[in-house]
Amino acid sequence: MAEQKPTVTQDDIAAGLRRCGLRRGDKVLVHSSLSAFGRVEGGAQAVIRALLAVLGAEGTLMMPTFSQGKVEVWDHDRTPSFNGRISETFRIMPGVRRSWHPTHAYAAIGPDATRYLEGDYRYVTWGPESPLGRLIADGGWVMLMGCGHGASTAQHHGEVAGNVRCFGIDTSPVLFYDQEGELTGAVAPSWRSGVCPWSARDHERQLRYLGAVRDTYIGAAHVQLIKGEMVIKAVVRLVTGLTGIDHCASCRQHPDTEMFENYRRRYPADKPSRGEPWR
Ligand SMILES: CC(C)(COP(=O)(O)OP(=O)(O)OC[C@H]1O[C@@H](n2cnc3c(N)ncnc32)[C@H](O)[C@@H]1OP(=O)(O)O)[C@@H](O)C(=O)NCCC(=O)NCCS
């Protein structure tokens, strides 16, 4: 028998977000999968409207709109998000601002948006001066809507805080059009050369051990809400051996100094996300 997908409305989503613990005035970074809900009446826009309805005018909503170096040249206004339809629809929503980091740009709306996004291209994308670092320092939340902890960028903030040896600087500059419209090169972070010895499941287990996960289902989507600072705490425990297993001690991964070139070569078919035009 064919599996029946649930249908959810904007009101169902708003009710689910409140059930999960999201409140008016919160600051939250959202990672998402639209298809995970089942069928959303009104599509990606209904999800975004539900988030904004719960947060109210005092809240700040942020989403990743990363290219992750998957394009040859990054353009602030034209390069879409590669992080799903909800994030790309959010990026093009009237009133939403996007930061200028050529591989890891965020989009945000709300009273703290400008402060979070400002000047992020000057800083390590997984560090405290990045948009997500600033949101976390403000007591902000990370929400996973229908995707797992492997999609959670905040975990890399934990890796940086735990001084992992497998992150560094990519020596192949990423090209982008800067705010003056000039084609410019920028150095970007480099990623480990292979697979990490701990998994997203280990990370989730730590979060649950710390009692840090609030979760619910909205339609078929497992939705999780975690304080950003707890994501960092859980990952620091993992990478410094505080869990009893020192995953990183014997790990041989090192920074891949041509990460983005290799990435494009390895995943040539990666497609940018498609947004829904706002009516
Ligand atoms: C990769 C990922 C985006 C894929 O999720 P997905 O649900 O398959 O894709 P999207 O969120 O882009 O949603 C588009 C899909 O939703 C479905 N869809 C379309 N309209 C829909 C609706 N009204 N209701 C529900 N689903 C719908 C379609 O299957 C569509 O796919 P198609 O464009 O190929 O037809 C998701 O698994 C993920 O990892 N999200 C987090 C990404 C992230 O934040 N990364 C940052 C750091 S690594």
Side-chain angles (χ1 to χ4, degrees), residues 139-161:
W141 298 90
V142 171
M143 175 167 270
L144 304 174
M145 290 181 133
C147 49
H149 291 263
S152 174
T153 306
Q155 69 184 318
H156 307 316
H157 288 245
E159 291 177 273
V160 168

Side-chain angles (χ1 to χ4, degrees), residues 5-6 8 29-44 47 63-66 68 70 81-87 104 144-148 150-153 155-156 263 273-274 276:
K5 283 189 176 179
V8 292
L29 173 79
V30 174
H31 297 283
S32 57
S33 155
L34 180 59
S35 66
F37 287 94
R39 196 180 76 78
V40 178
E41 255 178 42
V47 180
M63 295 193 195
T65 61
F66 305 160
Q68 288 157 317
K70 292 170 188 168
S81 164
F82 279 70
N83 306 138
R85 185 173 299 183
I86 297 170
S87 71
H104 288 79
L144 304 174
M145 290 181 133
C147 49
S152 174
T153 306
Q155 69 184 318
H156 307 316
Y263 211 100
S273 307
R274 229 164 9 99
E276 296 168 7

Side-chain angles (χ1 to χ4, degrees), residues 130-145:
S130 70
L132 179 53
R134 293 170 191 168
L135 179 141
I136 291 173
D138 263 5
W141 298 90
V142 171
M143 175 167 270
L144 304 174
M145 290 181 133

Side-chain angles (χ1 to χ4, degrees), residues 234-270:
V235 174
V236 168
R237 285 174 58 80
L238 275 169
V239 302
T240 57
L242 285 174
T243 61
I245 307 172
D246 201 345
H247 296 277
C248 296
S250 58
C251 178
R252 296 282 161 264
Q253 298 305 326
H254 54 82
D256 174 354
T257 52
E258 292 193 342
M259 160 180 153
F260 293 116
E261 283 181 2
N262 291 335
Y263 211 100
R264 285 199 287 270
R265 220 172 292 136
R266 232 178 285 152
Y267 306 106
D270 268 8

